[in-house]
Amino acid sequence: ANQVDRSRQVRGRGKAPPVDPFTGEQPDVLWEDWLSTFERASTWNGWSESEKLLQLAGHLRGKALQEWTLLGADATENFGAALAALRNRLDPGGPALAAQDFRHLTQQQGEIVADFIHRLESVFRRAYGREKLSAETN
């Protein structure tokens, strides 16, 4: 009565590699690095495409989870599409994230105005690919 399903056995030896939750908020934890750990665990555990989607959603926290909830049904029904959509939203160099940062950028307490403007222009360039905020700023 206590049979083992051989098709579901772990493919490696020992414990599967642990996968920490991903927040998208830690500058030292990049999406691509986290994703490679997730993919190793997926292979080790033999997850199907639908299991990978469930596991992916289950490992997202904070900002990453917020971005997941904003994805359309097309992106969340296919693992490859979900990865592509999240990569666009979570890549620190990505224009979509830079545009979001630009919209919410505020001067920090004690920050010199010139430094704030420099930071603002830097985020603007990443977001919109232009050198100046507008022609009138010359």
Side-chain angles (χ1 to χ4, degrees):
N2 196 6
Q3 282 187 302
V4 175
D5 181 357
R6 300 254 181 244
S7 67
R8 301 291 298 163
Q9 283 187 331
V10 175
R11 294 184 178 162
R13 292 184 175 197
K15 286 178 65 177
V19 180
D20 293 328
F22 183 79
T23 64
E25 298 166 2
Q26 299 169 281
D28 59 328
V29 181
L30 300 177
W31 170 249
E32 294 301 326
D33 295 337
W34 180 86
L35 187 57
S36 66
T37 301
F38 180 85
E39 290 282 12
R40 280 194 304 278
S42 170
T43 300
W44 188 284
N45 291 312
W47 295 334
S48 68
E49 289 294 303
S50 60
E51 287 171 320
K52 284 171 36 173
L53 269 171
L54 288 172
Q55 289 290 335
L56 176 64
H59 280 85
L60 301 177
R61 305 282 187 280
K63 182 179 181 179
L65 182 57
Q66 288 173 349
E67 294 298 337
W68 172 265
T69 61
L70 295 174
L71 296 179
D74 292 344
T76 57
E77 291 175 0
N78 174 290
F79 184 69
L83 292 183
L86 284 172
R87 181 177 289 116
N88 283 341
R89 291 173 173 265
L90 297 172
D91 178 8
L97 185 60
Q100 179 183 8
D101 289 347
F102 178 75
R103 288 190 299 273
H104 300 288
L105 205 62
T106 58
Q107 186 175 0
Q108 297 171 352
Q109 186 170 355
E111 184 178 28
I112 299 169
V113 173
D115 290 344
F116 172 64
I117 291 170
H118 176 72
R119 199 162 49 92
L120 189 70
E121 287 179 336
S122 174
V123 173
F124 181 84
R125 274 193 301 278
R126 283 198 328 266
Y128 303 107
R130 291 182 278 167
E131 289 300 311
K132 298 285 184 186
L133 295 176
S134 73
E136 293 80 37
T137 60
N138 290 342

